Amino acid sequence: MDDASAAREAVEAGLDAGELVTVFGRCRVDYDGRASSELGPGDRLLVLKPDGTALVHTDEGHQPVNWQPPGCDHEARLTDGELHVHSVRTTPEETLDVYFASVAAVNRYAVTDDSELSVSGTEADLREHVLESPSLVEAGFEPRATERETAAGAVDIYGVDADGNAVVVELKRRRVGPDAVGQLDRYVTALRRESHDGTTVRGILVAPSVTERASELLAEQGLEFVALEPPE
């Protein structure tokens, strides 16, 4: 879409209709508000949402390089023959101006989405799974506390085994490497230092799988591994 006037009309029509509008092309971006910034010419994607959000994306990463939060007012203009999208936030006062030297595409979407995001398979799900069925860790395991504080941080699940030994359970929902082993070892070491009666403290890493190096470190440090997938 080389015609800046046609592009402006398409953007304005989408904004007036309360639609999601995207503009892709070569542009420069100026921001003024709590600070000021200028972004030189480049190929970028501008997203204008019905709630007033504005996002400017490049071809790298998932974060926008410039943005305006919900509640802003957008306007499509023609400035010096270019499509100019002007976004204003009143409190605090901020402006975002995107000037398109060329426009490759303008798209409009009448979006309806009344669903809420449902996330499953989290570490919280895995923790509840273990608390409901402690034998998944091992027979005789008895959870005593969650998020138990230590000098090294909070332990996911603290409990005792069938012999009365203290057990630190570190939960991970994905395949893990040496970092997770190091984290578990720090918790175990901290609890051993807190214990003044020589209580045995075991460390068990619960995750779907571990890397070869992590498996080696577990063995070297006297820690254990239980393979367990988060519930769906």
Side-chain angles (χ1 to χ4, degrees), residues 48-221:
L48 303 172
K49 297 186 178 182
D51 67 356
T53 301
L55 307 168
V56 180
H57 285 280
T58 67
D59 61 343
E60 295 182 344
H62 66 284
Q63 296 284 2
V65 291
N66 289 94
W67 63 284
Q68 290 275 64
C72 296
D73 292 320
H74 308 315
E75 179 185 355
R77 305 172 174 175
L78 275 181
T79 301
D80 296 330
E82 295 182 340
L83 170 63
H84 170 196
V85 178
H86 179 67
S87 176
V88 178
R89 183 186 187 191
T90 55
T91 307
E93 187 173 343
E94 296 177 298
T95 60
L96 182 70
D97 291 281
V98 185
Y99 301 90
F100 284 89
S102 62
V103 176
V106 174
N107 291 293
R108 299 166 46 190
Y109 306 95
V111 178
T112 300
D113 185 357
D114 297 323
S115 301
E116 294 185 359
L117 178 65
S118 176
V119 179
S120 61
T122 65
E123 286 181 15
D125 292 331
L126 182 57
R127 179 179 62 192
E128 292 304 312
H129 193 37
V130 170
L131 292 176
E132 291 172 1
S133 304
S135 60
L136 291 170
V137 175
E138 67 177 25
F141 173 63
E142 180 183 332
R144 293 285 179 85
T146 59
E147 299 300 318
R148 185 192 188 285
E149 288 294 335
T150 73
V155 170
D156 287 335
I157 299 178
Y158 172 81
V160 295
D161 63 17
D163 297 323
N165 298 313
V167 179
V168 173
V169 177
E170 177 63 18
L171 305 171
K172 299 296 182 185
R173 68 187 183 95
R174 294 176 177 168
R175 177 178 175 84
V176 294
D179 286 349
V181 180
Q183 184 180 11
L184 176 60
D185 185 57
R186 289 192 293 275
Y187 293 152
V188 170
T189 299
L191 282 174
R192 284 172 179 164
R193 288 174 178 167
E194 293 176 13
S195 174
H196 301 292
D197 57 4
T199 300
T200 298
V201 181
R202 297 170 56 201
I204 301 178
L205 178 61
V206 176
S209 62
V210 297
T211 64
E212 183 176 348
R213 180 53 183 157
S215 180
E216 293 171 354
L217 288 174
L218 286 166
E220 290 173 8
Q221 297 173 9

